[in-house]
Amino acid sequence: MLTRRRLLAATAAFAALPRAAAAKIPLAELSAYLNAIETARGEFTQINADGTISTGTIFIRRPGRVRFEYAPPDESLVMAGGGQVAIFDGKSNTGPEQFPLRQTPLNLILARQVDLGRSGMVVAHASDGTTTSVTAQDPERPEIGTIRLVFTDDPVELRQWVITDEAGQETTVVLGRLETGVSLGSRMFNIVQEAQARGLR
């Protein structure tokens, strides 16, 4: 059953590649990397809080837009656009569950200007010699949960993210290599048009 937790889950992890030991990547460099992403597309594997696994394709169009298309047998869809997040259940004939994007930590990396150096945003920043991880929260809404981003360097790439929701449940999405600078139409992130195309009320 598709839930808001899973939506927050649709927030992803990339498999880290083996690398030589390295110092942690500075927050300013990570912010610059995220801000340079305007559009992107890639495959993902999602590990839900209950241990189930889903796969699919993610499409990103910053600021504020993302689309998670789940592969069969799931066939669900999670999308953000117009400041809202919508969860379309592939087995339901009713309209999507919706809530404001600002209520999910995913909003932090979809912002028009990402600034991981902002006071109170980053609560952990570390390196294990292979990857750099950053755990961030909305300083104004810490109660909505956190997002932990995992990066490799040379070049900097986002490989994984883990969302911990307000109940402490974790959802991880492992992403394949992102193809950036792709052409993505506005229709892909329009919740109203998506509902109409599906014949939903």
Side-chain angles (χ1 to χ4, degrees), residues 100-132:
L101 176 59
R102 66 177 182 272
Q103 292 183 3
T104 166
L106 185 59
N107 185 49
L108 297 177
I109 61 172
L110 293 177
R112 184 174 300 277
Q113 189 68 26
V114 177
D115 180 8
L116 295 174
R118 179 182 171 192
S119 178
M121 177 174 287
V122 170
V123 296
H125 179 206
S127 171
D128 62 4
T130 300
T131 64
T132 293

Side-chain angles (χ1 to χ4, degrees), residues 17-124:
L17 301 177
R19 302 190 60 81
K24 63 185 180 183
I25 305 168
L27 294 178
E29 187 174 344
L30 296 178
S31 296
Y33 163 80
L34 293 171
N35 286 323
I37 298 175
E38 296 183 357
T39 61
R41 173 179 57 212
E43 303 303 308
F44 73 87
T45 299
Q46 178 175 309
I47 305 168
N48 302 306
D50 62 2
T52 59
I53 296 175
S54 305
T55 61
T57 305
I58 182 175
F59 304 87
I60 300 170
R61 184 176 173 183
R62 298 182 58 254
R65 286 164 286 191
V66 68
R67 181 183 178 101
F68 296 88
E69 294 183 356
Y70 290 85
D74 194 320
E75 298 183 340
S76 298
L77 171 68
V78 173
M79 61 190 300
Q84 292 287 308
V85 174
I87 307 171
F88 290 86
D89 187 338
K91 299 177 182 178
S92 173
N93 293 322
T94 60
E97 177 187 354
Q98 295 189 62
F99 55 89
L101 176 59
R102 66 177 182 272
Q103 292 183 3
T104 166
L106 185 59
N107 185 49
L108 297 177
I109 61 172
L110 293 177
R112 184 174 300 277
Q113 189 68 26
V114 177
D115 180 8
L116 295 174
R118 179 182 171 192
S119 178
M121 177 174 287
V122 170
V123 296

